[in-house]
Amino acid sequence: MKICIIGQGYIGLPTAALFANSKCEVLGVDRNQPIVDALNQGNIHIEEPGIRKILKLAISKQKYRASISPEESDVFIITVPTPTTENNLSCDLNNVFSACESILPCLKENNIVIIESTIAPMSTDDFIKPIFEKDGWKIGKNLYLSHCPERVLPGKIMDELVNNDRIIGGVTPKCADKSSDIYKKFVKGDLIKTEAKTAELAKCMENTFRDVNIALANELAKICSKIEVNTLDVIEMANKHPRVNIHFPGPGVGGHCLAIDPYFIYSKAPSTAKLIKTARDINNSMPKFVVEKTEKILKKVESNNGSTSITIAILGVAYKGNTGDTRESPAIEIIKSFKNKGYDVKVHDPHVNNPGYLNFKEVIDGATICLVLADHDEFKNLNYDLLISKMKVPLIFDTKNIVKAEKNNVEVVNYGNIYDHI
Ligand code: SAJ
């Protein structure tokens, strides 16, 4: 069986590698020629544990190759990004549309087309199906179309693609049956068949559920900093209740999913989706909160030390721990805001490849404050002796509650004790 996967990013590439190691012939299509060239050499442009080995194996078995354009196949899987539209309030389907149009010349009778990209509810029926129908195809009769959203966690993609349950949303029941048979090749979780629109909304709601719960934790952090209560203790205590699971406050919500998918639902019913929109607004307000609190902490340092020039060392730009992914990361807005305010900002992220970033020793050299914005493992046990010897003031503001405070002479501010420092 030949499978053509359009979009060789965080989802498309691991999916391609898994099919290629399940006896399928896989063509990975990406519009970016340097990425295609690199993949054909076995060089991988994403940071994801386990992918390198499995892709190399597929290439050596001649089961995987990359190309800039699609070819005739049995199955087409579309895994292209779906950003929000410019006003940030809807789902931009343009990448999906061009991927669908690019496969039209390659389609044959009884092909299966699967959209994995996250899309707003009703997108498959209202916008994607007509692309194929206009070309003369009868969905459910001679072409089978489904929406099968991916639901994997970056950092655990290779494991979760195989073991998670999967929603198979067919435009018709036969479409769902056909797509389900494809995923059976490597998925060990349950394959749950439903309609395309149910699959679309279920996927968007999974991430919305998390976004709303993080907003609740972030709002709690703001309340606690006002009324002088330890947020982290409150969460720990409340979560002792067997049916309570308050999430954790942070610098904001990043990534390509939680920060985007709730808008896809909101855009379908803006006057009704009030909680969803408020949660987005609260999470979007967190970078500003972090900047304001950092400035307050710094004011106290300044008045204590009579210091005037301030250097802020940023630890972590990725949107989440132990990944190199900076998409929608709140750290980017925070760095920009400090720079606009005229601060000297130095940046370190051991997972992000950026020539402008410094190593740990360089970033803390002469810094007034270390601002931790990602929960990378490297930040759990910082070298405190180095911090004391290199920093202007050994002070850390840890927005992810990851740093272990080991030495009394290094001050660690987090959402638990922030009110003591402002
Ligand atoms: N975050 C908090 N507080 C928390 C948890 C997370 O501030 O208590 C922040 C993180 O720092 C990060 C953001 O939220 O900035 C999102 O991180 P995440 O780990 O919750 O989610 P993603 O975006 O990496 O992956 C999610 C997952 N969805 C769910 O867990 C419901 C994943 O399973 C999906 O496949 C993925 O979105 C996707 O592609 O939709």
Side-chain angles (χ1 to χ4, degrees):
M1 171 171 292
K2 183 167 171 186
I3 303 186
C4 178
I5 302 185
I6 319 283
Q8 291 295 278
Y10 283 93
I11 301 300
L13 186 58
T15 305
L18 287 167
F19 275 118
N21 281 290
S22 309
K23 302 197 172 94
C24 300
E25 184 194 338
V26 177
L27 180 73
V29 176
D30 203 286
R31 61 182 172 194
N32 186 322
Q33 186 72 55
I35 287 181
V36 167
D37 295 340
L39 287 174
N40 281 325
Q41 308 287 323
N43 295 325
I44 291 165
H45 59 292
I46 59 170
E47 191 190 326
E48 183 60 38
I51 175 79
R52 197 166 298 276
K53 201 170 137 202
I54 179 163
L55 191 79
K56 281 221 154 132
L57 189 64
I59 294 173
S60 70
K61 289 196 269 184
Q62 297 190 324
K63 289 288 188 191
Y64 175 88
R65 76 198 151 83
S67 167
I68 197 127
S69 38
E71 292 171 7
E72 282 195 359
S73 302
D74 302 297
V75 182
F76 295 87
I77 299 180
I78 293 174
T79 53
V80 293
T82 40
T84 41
T85 45
E86 232 162 66
N87 62 6
N88 225 14
L89 296 177
S90 188
C91 172
D92 184 340
L93 286 171
N94 282 316
N95 290 331
V96 175
F97 292 158
S98 35
C100 289
E101 271 147 22
S102 76
I103 63 172
L104 287 177
C106 310
L107 289 178
K108 297 177 301 193
E109 290 269 317
N110 297 326
N111 273 174
I112 297 165
V113 179
I114 298 170
I115 314 294
E116 283 203 13
S117 308
T118 306
I119 49 181
M122 312 308 297
S123 299
T124 308
D125 286 328
D126 291 353
F127 305 113
I128 298 169
K129 186 169 82 145
I131 297 176
F132 299 102
E133 286 175 335
K134 256 190 225 142
D135 214 38
W137 295 101
K138 302 253 177 300
I139 307 298
K141 299 243 164 7
N142 60 3
L143 187 73
Y144 301 95
L145 175 65
S146 299
H147 172 56
C148 305
E150 54 76 19
R151 39 172 25 177
V152 290
L153 203 63
K156 287 190 174 172
I157 292 179
M158 301 317 291
D159 167 56
E160 293 208 351
L161 274 179
V162 174
N163 293 308
N164 288 0
D165 295 341
R166 186 127 204 170
I167 313 173
I168 313 286
V171 168
T172 68
K174 203 163 173 195
C175 295
D177 289 342
K178 293 263 185 191
S179 300
S180 173
D181 288 344
I182 301 304
Y183 287 105
K184 271 186 197 149
K185 293 194 179 297
F186 70 80
V187 174
K188 292 190 183 139
D190 289 342
L191 297 166
I192 307 151
K193 293 180 213 168
T194 183
E195 294 169 294
K197 62 182 177 185
T198 311
E200 290 161 342
L201 189 50
K203 163 70 195 194
C204 291
M205 271 313 286
E206 291 167 9
N207 286 334
T208 302
F209 170 87
R210 226 166 135 69
D211 193 53
V212 169
N213 280 285
I214 297 166
L216 189 61
N218 281 332
E219 187 164 271
L220 175 71
K222 288 182 173 182
I223 295 167
C224 285
S225 90
K226 263 205 179 117
I227 63 171
E228 305 194 355
V229 180
N230 184 320
T231 318
L232 303 172
D233 283 352
V234 170
I235 294 173
E236 193 187 335
M237 302 301 134
N239 284 353
K240 298 275 182 213
H241 186 292
R243 286 172 296 283
V244 173
N245 176 21
I246 302 180
H247 291 31
F248 291 96
V253 168
H256 199 58
C257 312
L258 273 64
I260 292 182
D261 300 355
Y263 290 122
F264 296 178
I265 302 178
Y266 172 75
S267 66
K268 283 285 158 191
S271 59
T272 314
K274 292 198 167 66
L275 178 60
I276 291 174
K277 177 64 165 54
T278 304
R280 280 281 67 240
D281 292 344
I282 292 170
N283 289 335
N284 282 341
S285 74
M286 291 312 285
K288 189 164 171 253
F289 180 76
V290 168
V291 171
E292 279 169 11
K293 295 300 163 201
T294 308
E295 285 191 303
K296 283 203 171 155
I297 297 166
L298 285 168
K299 274 225 168 76
K300 229 176 133 190
V301 174
E302 266 179 275
S303 55
N304 286 344
N305 293 310
S307 135
T308 45
S309 78
I310 284 174
T311 302
I312 300 173
I314 303 288
L315 300 188
V317 186
Y319 84 89
K320 72 188 255 177
N322 305 324
T323 73
D325 189 346
T326 60
R327 290 178 299 174
E328 313 292 324
S329 176
I332 292 174
E333 189 181 332
I334 292 170
I335 293 167
K336 203 166 140 200
S337 169
F338 282 130
K339 283 188 176 162
N340 287 344
K341 284 169 176 275
Y343 291 101
D344 176 28
V345 184
K346 298 199 285 184
V347 183
H348 166 66
D349 191 313
H351 293 265
V352 179
N353 206 346
N354 183 316
Y357 294 176
L358 306 173
N359 66 31
F360 180 66
K361 233 185 203 167
E362 292 164 342
V363 85
I364 61 169
D365 196 11
T368 324
I369 190 167
C370 276
L371 181 58
V372 178
L373 299 177
D375 42 356
H376 293 321
D377 284 346
E378 290 85 345
F379 303 154
K380 277 185 193 160
N381 295 299
L382 293 170
N383 184 336
Y384 286 92
D385 293 331
L386 204 60
L387 284 172
I388 294 164
S389 69
K390 291 259 178 196
M391 286 182 75
K392 221 179 275 169
V393 185
L395 171 65
I396 300 170
F397 178 18
D398 172 14
T399 67
K400 295 297 290 186
N401 190 31
I402 176 115
V403 175
K404 285 193 193 108
E406 263 178 7
K407 290 210 169 160
N408 292 339
N409 36 4
V410 177
E411 201 155 5
V412 181
V413 184
N414 58 28
Y415 284 142
N417 62 8
I418 192 163
Y419 54 85
D420 279 342
H421 298 83
I422 53 180

